[in-house]
Each structure stands twice: as C-alpha cells, then as structure tokens.
Amino acid sequence: MKVSFYMLMAMSLIVTQINADEPAPLDTEKVDEVVVTSSILNTSRISNPLYVIDGDEIEDNATTSLGEAVDSYLGVSIADFGAAVGQPIIRGMSGPRVKILKNGLVNRDVSGLGADHLNDIDLNDLEQVEIIKGPSSLLYANGTSGGIINVVDNCIAPEDFTTQEFIAGLETQSVNDGDSQFFNFKDNIGGFNVNVGYKKSEFDSFDIPDGAVIHEDDHDDHDDHDEHEEHEEEMLSYLENSDLEIESTKFGISRAGEWGYLGISIDNHESMYGIPFHGEHDGHDDHGDDDHGDDDHGDDDHEEEGHDEHEGERIFSTTDQESFTIKGKYNLGGNLVNSISYNYRDTDYHLIEAHAEEEGHDEHEEEEEHEEHAPTVFTNDATEYGAIFDISTSKLIQKVAVNYVDEDSAIVGEESFMNPANNEELTVGYFLSTDFDMFYLDAGFRIDQIERTGSVTDEDHGDIDYYNIDDDTTSFAISLGRDLSDSLDVNLGFASVERLPSVIELFMNGPHMATGRLETGNPNLKGETSENFDITFNFDNGDFYAMASFYINDVENYINLQDMHDDDHDDHDDHDDHDDHDDHGDDDHGDDHDGEFAHLIKANYVQEDAEFRGYEFEIGKTFSLASGDLTLSFGRDDVNAEFSDGHNVPRINPARNIYSLSYEENDWLFKLSLKDVEKQDDLAEGETVTDSYQMLNARLTKTYNVGTGKLKLSVFGTNMLDEVARNHSSFVKNQVPLAGRNYGAKFSYKF
C-alpha cells in the first residue's frame, strides 16, 4: 500500500467522558454516570450524541442480539433477520456506515456481507455499551458517517482488581423455550489480573402471533393451491428456523502499575442459528404457468412438484470467531510524549451456511440433498495494529493515533456471490480537547489510506476482471459546548466524513438469497462524503430533565442497493456512477441468471446525493414516592431521508414514541416501557407500507443479601400485548416478523 502524508491541521469531534457535573443526553433508560473507557479524550465536558448503557441493563433484560439490546434507545433501531440477527441502524444510517466495536477495536466478523449474518459479539459480563451517533464517531474507525456501537467488557484490566468476584447465573425465556447459563470470575492472583467468562444459550424457534407471516403476491396467481393447506401454513404459531445457539468463552490476564499496564485476551465465540427466510423458497420455481395451466394438476402433483424440493429442509449457519488481543499502555512522563497506548488484535472468523433435511428423510435423500446444496463458507482473517501517543500539555489535551488493518475476505460454495477480496487501511489522526472561558472545544482530524483489492467474474465468458481501489479519505469535525445556565447547556457540532465503497458495494456479483435479490456491485463507485451538522440542548435541574437534538446529514454520492425493474435498465445509464460499468452491467449478468435465479429481484449498487434530517427529544420528571424515586419520561425520534430528485431512501424506519416509567427503592427496581412505532408510508420505489405497532415491555429486579454475596432475581416480559410487529428496514419484514409475547427470568449470584 502506498502511504500518503497530510498536514494535521483540521479538527474532529471525539467521543468523551460524560462528567458528573454536566448534563448528559438522556434516553428512555436511566443513563448513569460512567467512564467511557475507550475514549481518547476522557476529560472533555461536552455532552456529545452519546448513550452509555450500563452492563447491568443488558444482562437484566431478555436479549438475543446486540441489535435488540440497543433498539429502544433514541436514534437507534435495527434491521432484524430473526432472533439472532439485528443489524444496528443509527439515525437512518446502516451497513458499513455503522461499525460494531469491542473494546474500541472494530469487530471483524462478516455481518457486513449479508443481511442474515449476525454481529458476533459476546454480551456476557459487560461493563457498558456505548452508542455514538453521527460522524463524531470518526475517532474509532473510518467511514462511520452513521455512528458506532462499542461493547466494553474490561477483559484486559487496565487497573488492579481490588476484590475477588465470582458470578454465576441462569436465564429462561418462554417465547423460544430458551435457557442460558453463565459464569464470570475476576481476581488479582500473584499480581496478575485474571478475568474468565463463559456463557451458553439455547433458543428454539420463537413464537409469533397468528397470521404474522405474509407470503409474497405470487401466491395470488396460484389458483390451484389447496386453500386449507395454504391457510394452515400461514397460521403457524412459530417462525420456522428462528432458533439460536451461542457459546462464548473469554480469558484475559494483565499486569498493572505506575508504569502503565500490559495484558492479553483470548476470545472464542461460536453460534448456530436458523435462517427463517431464504430466497429460493419464495420463487416457487416449479410453479410455472405451464404447470398451473395443466388440467391434471391436482393436489398430489402440487405436493410433489411444488414443495418436494424444499419440504422439510432446514437452512442454518454456524459461526466460529477466535480473536487474540494484546493491549497496554506505557507511561513515559516525558516532555513531549506523556504515554503510549498500544493494541494488537488477530481475528479468524468462519461462517458456514448449510442446508439439511429434517428428521424423517431416509439416508439416500439426505445424501442427495447435501450433495445438491453444498455449504457456503464465509471467512474473514484480520490483523490490526494501533498506537495512541498522548502529547497533552497543561492547557491542551492532545493525542495522535496511528492504526493499520489488513483484512482478507472470501466466500466459497454454491452461494458465493463475491470473489475473494483484500482490505488494507492505514490511519493517522490528531485529536484535541480544551476549555475556554466561554465554551468547551473538542476537535480532531484523521486521514485514512485505503486499498481494496478484488475481482469480478464475467458470468457469460468466464473472464475475471481485477480491480485495485487505492485512495485516501480525509475526515474532520469540530464541536463547541457552552453552559447557558447551571441547568442548561448547548452543543454545536459539524463533521465531514469521507467513506470509500465497501468490498460488497464494489465487487458483489451474484445471488444473495438472504435478501431475495440478484445483487451487482460496481467497481467504479465513487466515495461518499457526509457533512453533518447537529445541535443539542440539555436541561437538568435534578428533578426535571429535557433533551432535544436536531441534525442534518448531507451525503454526496450516497451508495444504496436499488431494485431494478423492467423500465429501470433504460434509465440506469443516467447515473454517472455507472457510465464506465459496461463490463459489469445488468444485462449480461441478468441474462446469465434468468433461468436458475429468475425469481430473484435484480438489484444494483448505485449512488445519488441524499439528505438525512431528523430529531430526537425527551422529557422526564422524577418524583419522591414512599422511600423511592418514580421517574416518568417521554421520548420521540424521527428521521426522513430523500435523494436529490425527491424520492425516498429505501428502508428508513418510521417515527417512534417511547414512554417509560421506572421506580427504584432500595434493592427494588421496576421498569415499564411502551414503544409506539408509527406507520411507515413514506416509501421508496418497490416498498410496501409497514403498519404501526406498540411494544410493551416490563422488568422487575430484586437484589437479596445471601451469605457473603448478593442474589439478584430479574423477571421480564417483552411484547406483552402480543403485537404483530415488523421492522420497515428489514429486507424480509413480511416473512420474518418480530417475536411474540415473551416472559422470562434471570437468576445470578455474586460473591
């Protein structure tokens, strides 16, 4: 990779600690004062667009994915694909614009390669989860015009443990007959901090309200279908292939002192989950017009021809992620460099998507099926190095960050939709924070040298075109904060973030069953430039609080997956980004797949200028009741996204109203929340209306002193109204609704 050097003159907003004396942005859950351990500048007083969720909030609720854990926070939603998969969306942005981090480093799984791939994040024994909204998250990773979600577990302890801690617990859920077991151990042994964790979860296919699954319109043309049989299929009380198993282990050891700290960690995260929707099921390839027009097409023929191919078939994925991390800090105390923080992480990730026959089929049939549907293997091998140099003075907090990533991605098998690709990134960044008499300043700058290497196979001739995308991105931002009174402050932020197309957007070329589409990338795509402005007001006088945030995000050359229709191919030439894409266009690719994958929707990665506008606000009041505190709150978020020609950006979730009641007294905590999701009828081309729904959740937690430890019992209920609910952002909203009514309990003992 060729390295370019730039003068570090611009500035960028960075994520910082929310101090006790400063009002923080509040959400539907109580946000306690915490230290944002992964922040570079942890002494700033600016309240940035940041939520910090205490680890206990995650552990006491019923969650099966990171997306579910953050879905109720203002400005954050998910694009779900069953219980296992919940891709986060921040302020309407998703995909490569939102990065998932673990302890400040990007999690290198393959969730960005498919809508049905889960974020392989261990949610056991978390210190906190940080949600940073908007381009201010550029501190952590390049191209984060949407934001980041950082999971912090303190596996490598930067300070000595002062007490021994052992936690063991159980969880059960009704909606999926699920259960979990976990334990964690922390202690300082012989001067070394030892952290060990284990968790195993097993969830069956989850229950759904009657009639929640909607079949595609092509069923309407099948007049010869047995109506009773179709009705019975639609009225299933559970979602097939929505099961999930997760097993995670982690071990960390560190040594700390006045000189700094040094530690290593080893993580292993394995999962197996069903895929409740697969594009080949929806096409009904054997249900052609000729067959249905045959007078002899009876029920027996229908059963044999229409359903034999996939009857009783299970489609599932298994994942295995192993990561080795070295992390530390060395205090120099010099005149120029005060300290050096450093990290290294090596990640080996494998995902296997496979087909299997359900029990009851004979051995011969099973062998035939496995031969016909060979597994598809996704791999991602990544190595990352980084260092942060603290060059702060008595008046300025200043840090310089350097980071390098080498990442190899490959897909092998029947559903391989992209040739192997390599991604290299080199980052240099400068960050500062200071207080002036009138305001507080956070600022910084980063330059990323990026090289993406891949190829595209011509399906007609078998030729392979090789591409090397080598370019720089420059991102900067600045944020100013001012106290207007003892209770009120205002923060202004501006950021400009550049993002190069991802390997999927560049080199995708094949059937993507998870989305039901035949997707085609474009190696000639230009980079995005996101210019974001936001203003946030915070008011907190102790008993009453209010927050209001407004933002505008103008994105030049916004990349999106656009469904192609019969008339679209003629108009497609009008897009400048496809002028040079003659060898990788729709016509050739579509003709080649018209037979086998004719039922899939043709879709191309195209780009057009877009604007995202939105707001978040919340008010809350705390009352003294008996010997505890009662808090009532109301919050609302809304985002609108349009292209420059006025039509809507696809898969944008509607406005949400979130009502919350909580009561805390001594060792008791009760929370009740209602998430009112409005109807989405601001549609992009090809989209359908998504109905409104109300999600009612509750949790009661009680802590008991037992012996030398504490026993914590948490009982919870989710979707207690048993609402038919679906996310507009999901590619499979009709076929994969959200889970139905769920009750459960968690027990944990800490000593």
Side-chain angles (χ1 to χ4, degrees):
M1 179 193 301
K2 181 180 72 174
V3 179
S4 301
F5 295 95
Y6 288 70
M7 183 179 296
L8 304 179
M9 299 182 61
M11 298 175 292
S12 99
L13 175 66
I14 53 87
V15 181
T16 59
Q17 174 183 350
I18 300 177
N19 294 318
D21 58 344
E22 291 299 313
L26 296 166
D27 53 65
T28 58
E29 303 284 354
K30 182 179 179 180
V31 180
D32 298 322
E33 178 200 356
V34 293
V35 175
V36 182
T37 59
S38 57
S39 297
I40 285 183
L41 307 181
N42 59 4
T43 59
S44 171
R45 300 177 62 189
I46 295 180
S47 299
N48 294 321
L50 166 66
Y51 289 157
V52 180
I53 311 170
D54 188 83
D56 289 341
E57 286 290 332
I58 305 296
E59 296 176 356
D60 293 343
N61 290 319
T63 57
T64 55
S65 70
L66 178 62
E68 283 191 7
V70 301
D71 186 42
S72 294
Y73 292 85
L74 294 177
V76 185
S77 57
I78 61 171
D80 65 287
F81 204 105
V85 181
Q87 302 288 348
I89 302 171
I90 300 179
R91 292 181 168 179
M93 295 279 190
S94 60
R97 305 171 187 87
V98 176
K99 299 287 177 66
I100 308 299
L101 288 74
K102 185 174 182 180
N103 297 317
L105 299 177
V106 175
N107 193 53
R108 304 290 175 178
D109 53 26
V110 296
S111 58
L113 300 183
D116 60 329
H117 298 165
L118 78 171
N119 298 113
D120 263 311
I121 289 288
D122 183 10
L123 299 180
N124 183 32
D125 189 35
L126 301 183
E127 295 289 325
Q128 61 198 40
V129 174
E130 307 156 8
I131 305 173
I132 298 93
K133 297 181 289 186
S136 58
S137 57
L138 63 85
L139 167 66
Y140 294 88
N142 66 67
T144 54
S145 53
I148 66 103
I149 297 177
N150 185 33
V151 178
V152 182
D153 67 1
N154 204 26
C155 191
I156 299 177
E159 298 179 352
D160 286 338
F161 295 132
T162 57
T163 59
Q164 183 187 87
E165 181 180 290
F166 182 84
I167 303 176
L170 301 171
E171 175 190 358
T172 182
Q173 296 187 39
S174 66
V175 74
N176 48 31
D177 293 326
D179 61 81
S180 298
Q181 308 88 40
F182 59 91
F183 77 84
N184 302 283
F185 173 80
K186 301 176 184 177
D187 196 10
N188 187 281
I189 303 175
F192 290 89
N193 302 294
V194 179
N195 193 331
V196 181
Y198 174 82
K199 186 174 185 178
K200 184 176 182 179
S201 301
E202 295 181 317
F203 303 102
D204 293 337
S205 293
F206 60 77
D207 296 336
I208 56 175
D210 291 340
V213 174
I214 300 176
H215 295 280
E216 297 299 320
D217 293 338
D218 55 346
H219 280 285
D220 297 337
D221 299 330
H222 299 175
D223 296 332
D224 295 320
H225 280 271
D226 188 296
E227 295 181 1
H228 175 73
E229 186 176 314
E230 183 177 346
H231 177 74
E232 184 179 3
E233 183 182 5
E234 291 184 358
M235 296 300 291
L236 286 176
S237 61
Y238 65 96
L239 184 65
E240 295 179 294
N241 281 341
S242 61
D243 56 302
L244 169 65
E245 295 182 18
I246 298 176
E247 186 171 11
S248 62
T249 58
K250 60 184 176 184
F251 170 80
I253 186 170
S254 67
R255 182 112 184 183
E258 294 183 358
W259 52 271
Y261 77 97
L262 172 63
I264 64 172
S265 68
I266 301 173
D267 299 82
N268 180 257
H269 192 271
E270 299 179 3
S271 70
M272 181 177 70
Y273 61 97
I275 300 176
F277 172 84
H278 209 244
E280 63 193 25
H281 288 279
D282 202 51
H284 299 277
D285 296 340
D286 298 321
H287 294 182
D289 293 337
D290 293 340
D291 292 336
H292 282 279
D294 193 346
D295 294 336
D296 296 331
H297 186 74
D299 290 340
D300 294 338
D301 292 336
H302 169 77
E303 179 71 22
E304 183 177 346
E305 295 182 12
H307 290 277
D308 229 16
E309 183 180 356
H310 301 293
E311 182 83 19
E313 185 181 55
R314 168 170 165 78
I315 304 174
F316 65 98
S317 290
T318 59
T319 73
D320 185 0
Q321 177 175 256
E322 296 181 355
S323 61
F324 174 77
T325 304
I326 301 175
K327 194 173 184 179
K329 179 181 179 181
Y330 188 68
N331 296 319
L332 297 172
N335 294 327
L336 179 61
V337 181
N338 302 313
S339 66
I340 302 175
S341 301
Y342 49 89
N343 62 75
Y344 164 84
R345 178 176 291 174
D346 181 80
T347 302
D348 293 324
Y349 188 89
H350 298 266
L351 182 149
I352 301 175
E353 182 178 308
H355 298 237
E357 291 290 331
E358 299 284 1
E359 296 181 1
H361 292 260
D362 62 38
E363 183 177 351
H364 178 69
E365 289 176 337
E366 187 173 351
E367 290 177 355
E368 284 185 346
E369 182 67 24
H370 281 285
E371 183 177 353
E372 181 182 354
H373 295 285
T376 302
V377 180
F378 298 75
T379 62
N380 201 67
D381 298 328
T383 304
E384 184 169 357
Y385 309 85
I388 299 171
F389 301 87
D390 185 348
I391 56 173
S392 302
T393 66
S394 59
K395 297 183 179 180
L396 287 176
I397 298 175
Q398 302 179 95
K399 301 192 179 183
V400 174
V402 181
N403 200 73
Y404 173 76
V405 177
D406 187 4
E407 188 173 20
D408 292 308
S409 303
I411 309 172
V412 179
E414 182 180 355
E415 296 179 15
S416 175
F417 48 69
M418 186 184 73
N419 293 342
N422 174 261
N423 174 53
E424 287 188 71
E425 302 173 358
L426 177 65
T427 298
V428 179
Y430 170 69
F431 309 93
L432 68 87
S433 180
T434 188
D435 291 357
F436 295 96
D437 293 336
M438 299 292 293
F439 57 87
Y440 320 116
L441 169 69
D442 279 353
F445 167 88
R446 69 180 291 151
I447 165 98
D448 296 280
Q449 172 64 38
I450 301 173
E451 184 175 6
R452 309 206 203 279
T453 304
S455 62
V456 178
T457 302
D458 188 312
E459 300 291 344
D460 286 338
H461 306 96
D463 299 332
I464 301 178
D465 297 324
Y466 294 91
Y467 298 89
N468 184 270
I469 313 298
D470 190 352
D471 205 352
D472 303 329
T473 62
T474 305
S475 302
F476 68 92
I478 184 170
S479 180
L480 299 174
R482 177 176 172 81
D483 292 332
L484 302 179
S485 69
D486 292 339
S487 305
L488 178 65
D489 71 54
V490 60
N491 304 307
L492 298 172
F494 174 79
S496 176
V497 176
E498 295 183 351
R499 184 184 77 86
L500 290 186
S502 68
V503 293
I504 280 292
E505 294 165 337
L506 292 168
F507 309 126
M508 180 75 176
N509 187 34
H512 197 176
M513 298 301 184
T515 63
R517 285 161 172 79
L518 190 66
E519 299 181 14
T520 305
N522 184 354
N524 299 300
L525 290 173
K526 304 173 184 177
E528 290 181 353
T529 300
S530 173
E531 294 186 347
N532 183 89
F533 172 81
D534 64 71
I535 180 171
T536 300
F537 297 89
N538 291 293
F539 179 87
D540 190 351
N541 66 2
D543 295 328
F544 176 81
Y545 64 84
M547 180 277 297
S549 184
F550 306 89
Y551 59 89
I552 298 177
N553 197 353
D554 283 317
V555 186
E556 183 181 358
N557 298 321
Y558 180 82
I559 303 170
N560 75 104
L561 184 63
Q562 178 177 300
D563 293 343
M564 299 288 106
H565 304 281
D566 293 338
D567 297 333
D568 290 340
H569 299 288
D570 297 333
D571 301 333
H572 192 52
D573 295 334
D574 296 334
H575 290 275
D576 294 337
D577 50 270
H578 279 267
D579 287 345
D580 301 322
H581 196 38
D582 296 336
D583 296 332
H584 192 209
D586 284 326
D587 294 337
D588 294 339
H589 184 75
D591 291 342
D592 182 72
H593 292 295
D594 275 347
E596 184 179 1
F597 303 112
H599 62 283
L600 298 180
I601 300 172
K602 295 183 177 68
N604 285 358
Y605 283 97
V606 300
Q607 56 190 167
E608 184 179 352
D609 294 348
E611 182 180 78
F612 292 72
R613 307 177 306 279
Y615 63 85
E616 300 137 16
F617 77 84
E618 184 178 24
I619 57 175
K621 174 70 174 178
T622 299
F623 304 88
S624 295
L625 181 64
S627 57
D629 292 326
L630 174 68
T631 301
L632 304 176
S633 69
F634 167 74
R636 178 179 171 87
D637 61 11
D638 190 18
V639 57
N640 293 283
E642 294 182 350
F643 291 111
S644 56
D645 62 2
H647 67 278
N648 295 311
V649 175
R651 293 176 291 280
I652 300 297
N653 279 325
R656 306 182 302 175
N657 304 296
I658 304 178
Y659 307 83
S660 178
L661 177 153
S662 66
Y663 181 75
E664 188 170 5
E665 178 183 355
N666 298 324
D667 295 324
W668 289 91
L669 175 63
F670 173 73
K671 290 192 174 184
L672 182 69
S673 66
L674 176 66
K675 180 169 64 177
D676 175 29
V677 181
E678 298 181 358
K679 178 181 180 180
Q680 180 58 289
D681 53 10
D682 291 333
L683 307 177
E685 186 177 1
E687 290 186 336
T688 58
V689 172
T690 303
D691 291 334
S692 63
Y693 66 88
Q694 291 74 44
M695 191 71 67
L696 181 65
N697 300 331
R699 174 165 57 92
L700 177 65
T701 301
K702 170 65 176 176
T703 304
Y704 302 88
N705 293 316
V706 179
T708 60
K710 292 183 179 292
L711 175 66
K712 183 164 67 172
L713 167 64
S714 180
V715 293
F716 53 81
T718 60
N719 193 10
M720 294 191 299
L721 302 177
D722 203 29
E723 284 273 288
V724 175
R726 48 186 104 251
N727 284 326
H728 185 78
S729 58
S730 173
F731 280 97
V732 291
K733 65 173 185 175
N734 290 338
Q735 301 89 352
V736 186
L738 300 182
R741 183 183 292 113
N742 182 33
Y743 296 107
K746 285 188 178 182
F747 306 83
S748 66
Y749 186 67
K750 176 180 179 181
F751 59 92

